[in-house]
Amino acid sequence: MAEPLLRIEHLKKYFSTNKGTLHAVDDVSFTLQKGETLGVVGESGCGKSTLGRTILRLHEPTEGKVFFEGKDVTSMGKGELKALRRDMQIIFQDPFASLNPRMTVYETIAESLLIQKIYTRRQQQELNKRVTDLMDFVGLSSRLVNSYPHELDGGRRQRIGIARVLALDPKFIVCDEPVSALDVSIQAQILNLMQDLQDEFSLTYLFITHDLSVVKHLSNDIAVMYLGQMVEKAPSSVLFSRPMHPYTQALLSAIPVPDPDYQVKRVLLKGELTSPIDPEIGCRFAKRCPFATDACTRSDIPLREVEKGHLVACTLV
Ligand code: ADP
């Protein structure tokens, strides 16, 4: 197989807190091929955003490596990293928070192109054309070119956020809960748009969400995180039809809408969420797991490939 676009090796991100060391991302490894989507799911606080930000070096990793097109991102100096910023981008959950309220749609998108010196102010005609093309790509009417964010609904604001990222012609995008703040009807439109853009521009996505149903159709593979660690990873259809880790089973059985595509026995979570601060050895899910045995807390449980492309970190499997 060709060199993956992204290769993550034993990535860790710890934060020092006054209570101890918080293991936000704790030894995560995976690869992602060009043009594919990896969905990253798990409850709030399990380290999804920190993983995405550490890959982009918006957070400095505590340990581990990130390779992008074979180049070691973790050892890059500022200059190299700046050049890479165009290739590796992020779309945020709340576009309103990341958009400048005093800038029109035109100014917001043009700013991306000017900051990265893709165009200069002297190339006004080319700049105008590129901005209107980008608005067209993301389904924003050119009538909105002089609108301000507060005049637009959440879906349109997210379209501006996407256009601004697309302006840089990126290869890889961390999508951090990009539809979670939107109404369900608008969510589908934005997800469709993201899929179309992926096909058109061969984009590679790391798609972070707490909502499994959002990534089901969009992802090639889905990775499930629990307290900073990846506990299961499988092709999307396999994860939904044959989830093996008790935590994944619990997540799936908590999806409220009955889905004929998969049938899992209901697994109810018991016990308290273990703290990510100085975690004890062994499976971090053990205290809540209905099937836990002594073996689960004797040593750390590595991810093992149990069938082709299906990795699980569980002593029971
Ligand atoms: P998720 O995206 O899955 O909701 P996060 O990556 O935001 O999870 O957070 C993972 C853990 O790291 C949480 O316990 C959170 O409180 C902690 N955390 C995130 N950012 C920081 C930070 N800058 N300083 C200290 N702790 C942080």
Side-chain angles (χ1 to χ4, degrees):
M1 201 179 265
E3 168 75 22
L5 185 82
L6 189 71
R7 184 152 48 90
I8 309 299
E9 291 182 355
H10 304 292
L11 197 63
K12 296 184 184 178
K13 178 63 194 176
Y14 295 172
F15 295 107
S16 295
T17 73
N18 52 14
K19 290 185 187 148
T21 306
L22 191 151
H23 295 218
V25 173
D26 210 358
D27 200 359
V28 168
S29 302
F30 64 88
T31 59
L32 187 51
Q33 298 293 333
K34 184 175 165 59
E36 296 204 336
T37 298
L38 174 67
V40 178
V41 302
E43 287 162 293
S44 175
C46 72
K48 305 180 296 295
S49 286
T50 307
L51 174 66
R53 280 155 207 250
T54 310
I55 290 172
L56 300 180
R57 269 190 69 187
L58 297 174
H59 286 316
E60 283 304 320
T62 304
E63 245 181 80
K65 294 275 181 201
V66 173
F67 293 93
F68 183 76
E69 295 183 318
K71 285 176 283 189
D72 181 359
V73 177
T74 26
S75 67
M76 282 182 183
K78 272 196 182 147
E80 257 184 303
L81 202 56
K82 190 159 180 255
L84 197 75
R85 282 270 175 263
R86 276 181 63 177
D87 287 343
M88 301 175 86
Q89 280 289 315
I90 184 163
I91 297 172
F92 296 101
Q93 172 177 356
D94 183 1
F96 204 40
S98 66
L99 296 175
N100 183 335
R102 287 185 204 85
M103 282 166 91
T104 64
V105 175
Y106 176 88
E107 288 163 346
T108 304
I109 301 173
E111 188 196 38
S112 267
L113 296 159
L114 292 168
I115 286 179
Q116 286 288 338
K117 300 192 171 61
I118 300 169
Y119 294 98
T120 64
R121 292 236 177 247
R122 280 198 218 137
Q123 297 167 290
Q124 198 61 51
Q125 260 188 340
E126 290 93 329
L127 183 64
N128 293 353
K129 164 98 176 56
R130 179 73 176 141
V131 171
T132 43
D133 282 352
L134 283 160
M135 288 180 67
D136 195 33
F137 286 147
V138 300
L140 278 174
S141 159
S142 55
R143 281 183 291 115
L144 301 176
V145 77
N146 292 319
S147 303
Y148 289 91
H150 72 268
E151 297 172 322
L152 304 173
D153 61 27
R156 290 201 177 85
R157 289 201 290 257
Q158 191 54 290
R159 286 175 197 268
I160 306 172
I162 295 172
R164 188 174 55 172
V165 162
L166 212 58
L168 308 177
D169 207 6
K171 296 176 181 168
F172 168 67
I173 304 178
V174 171
C175 313
D176 192 354
E177 304 264 12
V179 298
S180 304
L182 304 176
D183 290 347
V184 173
S185 58
I186 296 174
Q187 283 192 0
Q189 293 172 17
I190 298 293
L191 291 173
N192 287 339
L193 169 68
M194 293 182 70
Q195 187 113 55
D196 291 347
L197 294 173
Q198 176 167 47
D199 295 342
E200 173 117 13
F201 301 108
S202 304
L203 298 170
T204 306
Y205 291 149
L206 185 85
F207 199 105
I208 292 168
T209 178
H210 66 279
D211 182 352
L212 260 161
S213 50
V214 161
V215 279
K216 184 178 179 190
H217 298 291
L218 200 80
S219 304
N220 300 86
D221 283 355
I222 295 183
V224 180
M225 283 185 73
Y226 190 79
L227 283 180
Q229 299 188 320
M230 202 181 273
V231 294
E232 183 158 7
K233 176 170 174 276
S236 178
S237 57
V238 174
L239 192 99
F240 275 84
S241 57
R242 280 199 301 287
M244 291 192 185
H245 196 286
Y247 178 63
T248 313
Q249 293 173 354
L251 272 188
L252 285 177
S253 65
I255 295 180
V257 188
D259 187 329
D261 288 2
Y262 67 90
Q263 294 216 319
V264 285
K265 50 183 185 303
R266 199 146 174 82
V267 180
L268 291 176
L269 295 182
K270 59 180 178 102
E272 281 177 32
L273 200 72
T274 318
S275 166
I277 296 173
D278 299 319
E280 288 166 23
I281 205 163
C283 174
R284 289 179 193 173
F285 184 60
K287 280 196 181 138
R288 293 170 92 190
C289 181
F291 315 109
T293 65
D294 287 349
C296 303
T297 46
R298 235 177 269 141
S299 57
D300 285 335
I301 318 294
L303 263 185
R304 279 187 308 116
E305 188 163 35
V306 291
E307 57 182 333
K308 196 170 174 346
H310 192 166
L311 294 98
V312 189
C314 181
T315 52
L316 298 166
V317 179

